[in-house]
Amino acid sequence: MKEDIELFSRSVRGHWSVESMHWHLDVTFKEDANKTIDKRAAENLNIIRKWCISILKMIEIFRPKLSMKKKRFVISMNPAEFLEQVLAF
């Protein structure tokens, strides 16, 4: 019985981590609005976006609770300032 509860809780947490990533892809990178026709290009863009999300999660900019969208904006304003921090990961 205890094993069933642990298995269920791991499954739920795993599902929500995937949902969280898809939410970030849509909100941070507006992936649902992507109109890329070529399937391979769309897959490549998806991989790049997921890689960017993993980097953005690791970087702390000014405040620890800065949203991913705001982190992207701050980095875009002065990429040279954050280049060393991004490449450290």
Side-chain angles (χ1 to χ4, degrees):
M1 180 70 170
K2 183 167 173 61
E3 295 83 21
D4 292 339
I5 293 171
E6 289 175 11
L7 177 64
F8 178 75
S9 64
R10 276 196 310 259
S11 298
V12 169
R13 281 195 287 285
H15 172 76
W16 282 110
S17 69
V18 170
E19 287 297 322
S20 173
M21 180 190 60
H22 287 288
W23 182 83
H24 277 297
L25 286 170
D26 188 35
V27 171
T28 306
F29 294 100
K30 302 205 183 308
E31 190 174 62
D32 287 349
N34 185 13
K35 302 280 190 238
T36 305
I37 296 172
D38 184 85
K39 185 174 180 161
R40 182 159 297 170
E43 289 173 358
N44 289 339
L45 287 169
N46 180 265
I47 291 168
I48 291 168
R49 288 185 192 107
K50 288 176 182 175
W51 181 61
C52 290
I53 283 177
S54 68
I55 291 172
L56 288 172
K57 283 183 178 182
M58 292 186 272
I59 295 175
E60 292 301 327
I61 300 173
F62 308 126
R63 293 175 277 158
K65 295 292 181 183
L66 203 60
S67 73
M68 295 241 205
K69 199 170 188 177
K70 288 182 182 177
K71 283 182 184 181
R72 278 187 66 202
F73 178 76
V74 169
I75 291 171
S76 73
M77 297 306 287
N78 190 2
E81 179 182 341
F82 300 100
L83 186 61
E84 186 176 318
Q85 189 177 0
V86 168
L87 293 177
F89 296 106

